[in-house]
Amino acid sequence: KLKAAQRSIAMTAEFNTLGPTMTVGRRDQRKSSETPRNASSYKATVFVFLNGGADTFNLLVPFDQTCQLYDQYHKVRTEAALQPNQLLEISASGQACTKFGVHHRLPVLKQHYDA
C-alpha cells in the first residue's frame, strides 16, 4: 500500500506545482466543535501538511552542483537538504539542471522516469 501511495502522490498532475517552497508561517490550529451525526455518511477532505518530510523539494532534488537550482535548494532546505549519497541520479534535458536526484526511498520514481 505504501508504494501505491507513493506512486499516486508522485504521479498526480499537481506534483511539483504546488507553489513556492519558502516557509510562509504557521497554519491556524482552529478546532471545529461540530461532529458528524452519522459516521457512515460523513465525508471529509484530508490535508496532510509535512514539515520537511515528503515535500516536493526533497523528492526531486537538483543534483548538478553547477546549476543555480542546486544553490537555491541548499539555501532553502539548509540542514534538511539531502546529500548526493541520499539520491538516485537521473539525467534531464531541456531543464534548468542536467542532473536531478530522486529521494533514495522512492526508487519507483526513478524506475518510471527511466522507463
Side-chain angles (χ1 to χ4, degrees):
K1 289 184 180 182
L2 178 60
K3 287 193 184 255
Q6 291 169 338
R7 191 173 294 125
S8 296
I9 291 169
M11 298 301 166
T12 61
E14 293 81 17
F15 181 72
N16 204 21
T17 60
L18 298 175
T21 58
M22 304 300 286
T23 303
V24 293
R26 296 187 66 104
R27 302 202 184 270
D28 289 340
Q29 299 294 323
R30 295 181 216 155
K31 294 182 180 180
S32 174
S33 60
E34 294 183 31
T35 56
R37 293 183 192 149
N38 183 353
S40 63
S41 66
Y42 180 72
K43 294 182 181 180
T45 301
V46 177
F47 290 93
V48 178
F49 295 100
L50 302 172
N51 187 12
D55 55 59
T56 302
F57 233 20
N58 262 0
L59 294 177
L60 185 63
V61 177
F63 194 84
D64 185 359
Q65 295 180 12
T66 62
C67 179
Q68 182 181 5
L69 288 179
Y70 181 85
D71 296 331
Q72 179 187 358
Y73 168 74
H74 280 278
K75 181 180 178 184
V76 171
R77 300 307 301 187
T78 61
E79 62 272 351
L82 296 174
Q83 300 305 311
N85 65 344
Q86 297 174 294
L87 300 167
L88 305 171
E89 184 179 334
I90 60 172
S91 297
S93 60
Q95 300 296 321
C97 297
T98 58
K99 295 179 185 175
F100 287 88
V102 175
H103 194 284
H104 71 279
R105 291 199 161 183
L106 291 167
V108 69
L109 292 181
K110 181 173 171 42
Q111 292 167 359
H112 283 292
Y113 184 83
D114 290 341

